[in-house]
Amino acid sequence: MIQRRLPTAALLFGALAFLSGCNEKGLGYGDPNSVIAVMPNEQWDLVGPDVFEALETTIMTVAEEKTFTVTYQEPGAKFWDRLRRFRQMFVVGSRSDFYVQEVLEEAHDPITENGIHQIHDVWAIGQTITLLLLDEEWGRDEVLEALPRVHTLLDGQYRAYARNRMYFSGVDSALADTLTMQAGFTMYYPDVYRWMNEDSVYVFRNDNPDPSELIRQVAVTWMTPAPGTMDVEEVVEWRNRIAAEHYSEPQMFVADGLASRSFTFEGNEAFQLQAQWRNPPEQRWPAGGPLITRTVTCDAQDRTYLLDAWLYAPGKEKYEYMIQLETLLDSFRCTS
């Protein structure tokens, strides 16, 4: 039988059990990318590996990192009363299952069709249940068909959560206007970012709450006239030159896990590298993290822009912060 991470999760439950009685709703707990998978034990033995593969996708930051962590829980088993209070639940079953009936009773509107449904605040406040409702004699094929859509749904909601958290302080619209008038481009940063510019290099930085724990930084500059299509080596050389001249600490471009792609961004030719940065060996302490470097050619301005975003988050999961950096890069617009 495949069942992972239950002992680790169980340590949390004793500490948090006081929050609510057995029959009372308390606040949901657990990270928004921690998912409790619920179904009968016999079915889990059949589809467990498929659920892990579909939901625990990975991204490359400084290593392969899971976007979601899945823990299985058998309905009504030893840790059921506590695990069912997690913020994110993936529940699979039919209408005759007692745990599915409890979910359906909390639905805002009656659920009359099988398929994927989301119901909130079933066993805890602030909880989201993603229910895969199936016929009585369901099997592996029905779950396999639905898993890609479940992943797309959960990942999209997590990305929205990450973006909302980033802009919780508000959008610095005054900065966006200043950039439009002063630099010929605009971007939308949260109010907590500070910025500086030197000649045609603009640097935006958020190192709250402590730069020794977390830094998110984006630099923007450009070439005029636009140099035409640039290859990986040319983009890296440009990026390294900006880092050497304008970053507070020296950085080396590291090609471990390098991924590149060409695409069209807002009607403009764009090229992107995702890789890593590290401090040179002679620095006092080792540091590094993931980076995203993007070029965008704006024909109307005859400019090619370089956008360089990097993250320093030692000991932290990085997926949420990478979403935030991508969101900032995607807010970039050429202006006339």
Side-chain angles (χ1 to χ4, degrees):
M1 180 183 70
I2 299 170
Q3 185 166 338
R4 293 192 278 176
R5 291 185 278 287
L6 189 56
T8 301
L11 296 176
L12 301 173
F13 309 144
L16 295 169
F18 69 92
L19 291 176
S20 59
C22 293
N23 298 316
E24 297 178 354
K25 290 183 183 179
L27 291 174
Y29 47 82
D31 295 329
N33 61 340
S34 294
V35 180
I36 306 299
V38 178
M39 65 188 74
N41 191 275
E42 315 84 71
Q43 279 87 355
W44 178 252
D45 285 342
L46 295 175
V47 305
D50 304 307
V51 174
F52 285 129
E53 181 179 358
L55 300 188
E56 290 190 337
T57 56
T58 60
I59 63 166
M60 185 67 184
T61 56
V62 294
E64 290 286 339
E65 180 178 312
K66 293 177 182 177
T67 56
F68 287 88
T69 301
V70 177
T71 301
Y72 170 67
Q73 170 63 28
E74 181 182 5
K78 182 177 180 181
F79 297 107
W80 173 245
D81 284 345
R82 292 172 175 81
L83 277 168
R84 69 178 183 173
R85 301 179 192 276
F86 257 63
R87 294 170 63 180
Q88 288 285 355
M89 308 279 291
F90 174 46
V91 175
V92 183
S94 63
R95 295 178 185 274
S96 63
D97 295 317
F98 78 91
Y99 59 95
V100 173
Q101 293 173 5
E102 293 178 10
V103 173
L104 294 175
E105 288 172 0
E106 296 295 327
H108 186 268
D109 297 308
I111 295 176
T112 59
E113 297 182 356
N114 287 351
I116 300 170
H117 306 275
Q118 286 197 317
I119 303 94
H120 302 281
D121 302 338
V122 174
W123 294 299
I125 299 170
Q127 179 184 67
T128 298
I129 306 291
T130 302
L131 171 66
L132 177 56
L133 185 61
L134 301 170
D135 290 329
E136 296 293 328
E137 301 299 325
W138 63 271
R140 180 169 179 256
D141 289 344
E142 292 92 328
V143 178
L144 282 179
E145 181 182 358
L147 282 175
R149 288 178 287 143
V150 172
H151 176 264
T152 298
L153 177 63
L154 295 181
D155 190 62
Q157 291 175 337
Y158 183 76
R159 286 177 171 273
Y161 158 84
R163 290 190 294 266
N164 289 338
R165 268 175 50 98
M166 179 178 67
Y167 286 116
F168 183 77
S169 63
V171 179
D172 194 342
S173 56
L175 171 58
D177 292 340
T178 297
L179 294 175
T180 298
M181 294 182 291
Q182 180 174 310
F185 71 90
T186 193
M187 297 178 75
Y188 291 93
Y189 287 89
D191 278 330
V192 293
Y193 274 71
R194 66 182 191 274
W195 67 284
M196 59 168 287
N197 76 287
E198 184 176 0
D199 299 326
S200 61
V201 178
Y202 288 73
V203 177
F204 310 88
R205 183 181 176 103
N206 178 7
D207 53 17
N208 295 301
D210 186 335
S212 67
E213 298 178 1
L214 181 61
I215 303 172
R216 287 150 286 182
Q217 181 169 305
V218 180
V220 181
T221 189
W222 61 87
M223 288 186 186
T224 305
T229 302
M230 303 178 71
D231 60 24
V232 172
E233 290 75 16
E234 290 172 320
V235 173
V236 171
E237 192 279 330
W238 191 7
R239 190 267 174 193
N240 285 344
R241 187 170 67 252
I242 296 302
E245 296 174 358
H246 297 278
Y247 290 1
S248 58
E249 296 289 338
Q251 293 186 2
M252 298 167 42
F253 184 95
V254 180
D256 292 355
L258 174 66
S260 63
R261 66 185 179 105
S262 300
F263 59 106
T264 299
F265 176 73
E266 296 293 318
N268 301 299
E269 178 184 327
F271 179 64
Q272 180 169 297
L273 303 175
Q274 185 167 334
Q276 300 178 40
W277 66 271
R278 290 179 193 157
N279 277 355
E282 63 270 15
Q283 290 299 109
R284 290 173 296 174
W285 63 86
L291 64 83
I292 306 171
T293 301
R294 180 182 296 181
T295 61
V296 180
T297 298
C298 299
D299 291 332
Q301 296 178 322
D302 195 20
R303 284 182 179 181
T304 293
Y305 287 90
L306 178 78
L307 294 80
D308 183 59
W310 57 269
L311 171 68
Y312 177 64
K316 299 178 184 292
E317 293 183 347
K318 297 170 178 59
Y319 184 41
E320 177 182 351
Y321 302 120
M322 295 299 288
I323 292 170
Q324 294 179 1
L325 291 179
E326 288 179 348
T327 300
L328 294 176
L329 297 185
D330 289 343
S331 75
F332 172 85
R333 297 291 184 271
C334 310
T335 56
S336 298

